Structure formats: structure tokens, C-alpha cells
Amino acid sequence: MRKITFITGNENKLAEAQVILSDYEVIGKSLDVPEIQSLDPREVVEHKLLLSHEAFGEACFVEDVSFTCDALGALPGPFIKWFEQSLGNQRLANIILRHDNHRARALCTIGYVDHSGSMHFFEGVNEGVVVAARGESSFGFDPIFLPDGYDQTYGEMSLEQKSSMSHRYQALKVFDEFLGI
């Protein structure tokens, strides 16, 4: 089985990647990378990727998630982690639910640097709406995001169900196709 290194300190993200990239042995390595402040997800991922490649000197991939809500313009975007830590999911949902438009999108951007140092980027997106928190809150905005076409929030889905349709799934599938070339 081929190995691939995923630079993440988030065990939940690692577990999802291992389920989705099942043809690979996904090795998690943690690196405390300061995140740059930018509303451009690709810029955030490129910065993480450069620091990760410098630190480990090997082919690896990183990812970053953005969560944008129409009612808040481009926010929280790549700053979702800080919104969650400051407000919590239900308070964030309450702010959005005060508006008429509850539309939101979850975007996963993956960056991969190969052995030659060339960078490649992959994205996956799910459209949906923000709802009052339902389900487990152990992983990001999952309890407040109801993807289009589903009657369960990410937080109510099993790991296997979410891993078969999420924004991360979509980005990792495109990445998987690239690796299989």
C-alpha cells in the first residue's frame, strides 16, 4: 500500500482522510503552523504547504476548510475555527438565523507538494443552509450545517455517511484521481 503524508494535528480530519483515501496508508504528522490572515483559502493553504514542506522535506498534503454564509458576506470563511472558538456553533447559528438568507457553503481546499516541490491544489464544496445545532459538536460547524439534499446535519451523520459526500470527500476524491495518474 502506498503511503501519503497528511500534515494535520486534527485527528478527526485525519480519520476522514483515511476513510476517503482508502487505497493509501495516510500518515498523519502534526506541525504547529501559524495561519496567515486571509479571506483567500488558497493563500492560507499555500502558506501551510510551504512551511510543512520546509519542515519535513517530503511530499505531503495539507487542507483548510472555509465556511461562508450569505448573510455574513465572505465570513466566517477561513476564519471559521476562530468563530467557533469564540462563539460556539449555536451562537454562530443564532446570528445567521436572524437573517432571511440562511444559505451557506463548506469549502475544503487541499494543497499537495510533490517530491520535486511542485504544488497542486484541489477543492470540494457543499452547498446548504445553517440550522439550529443538531447532532455531535465535536468537529467544527458540523451540527449547524445541513447540506442540500439531506435531512441530517453533518453532525447527525455517521463518519462513513459524511465521508461519502462532504466537501472534504469531494476535494480528496479529486486529489485521489490526481494521485492515480
Side-chain angles (χ1 to χ4, degrees):
M1 183 175 279
R2 295 188 312 176
K3 293 181 182 182
I4 189 159
T5 302
F6 182 15
I7 309 301
T8 183
N10 186 314
E11 292 299 318
N12 293 316
K13 288 181 180 184
L14 178 61
E16 278 193 37
Q18 289 170 330
V19 168
I20 296 164
L21 296 175
S22 59
D23 291 339
Y24 297 88
E25 181 182 354
V26 181
I27 309 294
K29 289 188 179 180
S30 185
L31 179 66
D32 189 19
V33 176
E35 290 192 22
I36 62 168
Q37 303 302 303
S38 174
L39 285 173
D40 181 351
R42 184 169 169 163
E43 189 176 335
V44 173
V45 168
E46 187 172 348
H47 177 74
K48 283 183 178 182
L49 196 56
L50 283 169
L51 294 178
S52 297
H53 188 62
E54 282 178 15
F56 295 109
E58 64 182 284
C60 60
F61 74 100
V62 301
E63 67 98 55
D64 199 70
V65 169
S66 295
F67 186 67
T68 57
C69 304
D70 289 355
L72 302 179
L75 295 175
F79 305 119
I80 184 60
K81 175 181 175 181
W82 312 117
F83 273 67
E84 290 167 0
Q85 287 180 358
S86 296
L87 298 172
N89 282 317
Q90 190 57 58
R91 285 179 56 203
L92 177 58
N94 290 344
I95 291 168
I96 296 160
L97 294 173
R98 288 185 187 129
H99 298 272
D100 292 333
N101 188 343
H102 304 159
R103 298 293 304 161
R105 66 216 37 79
L107 169 71
C108 178
T109 305
I110 292 175
Y112 172 69
V113 61
D114 62 26
H115 293 288
S116 72
S118 295
M119 290 187 197
H120 309 273
F121 298 90
F122 312 90
E123 291 184 342
V125 66
N126 270 133
E127 297 281 338
V129 293
V130 171
V131 298
R134 302 186 334 221
E136 296 297 317
S137 62
S138 61
F139 192 36
F141 54 85
D142 285 3
I144 65 169
F145 184 63
L146 179 66
D148 289 345
Y150 292 85
D151 60 0
Q152 291 181 309
T153 66
Y154 276 177
E156 294 172 301
M157 294 178 183
S158 68
L159 175 62
E160 292 75 22
Q161 184 180 8
K162 181 183 170 198
S163 295
S164 71
M165 53 70 67
S166 73
H167 54 295
R168 185 169 293 111
Y169 166 81
Q170 293 176 35
L172 285 168
K173 279 314 215 186
V174 176
F175 178 43
D176 187 31
E177 290 170 14
F178 169 81
L179 292 172
I181 293 176

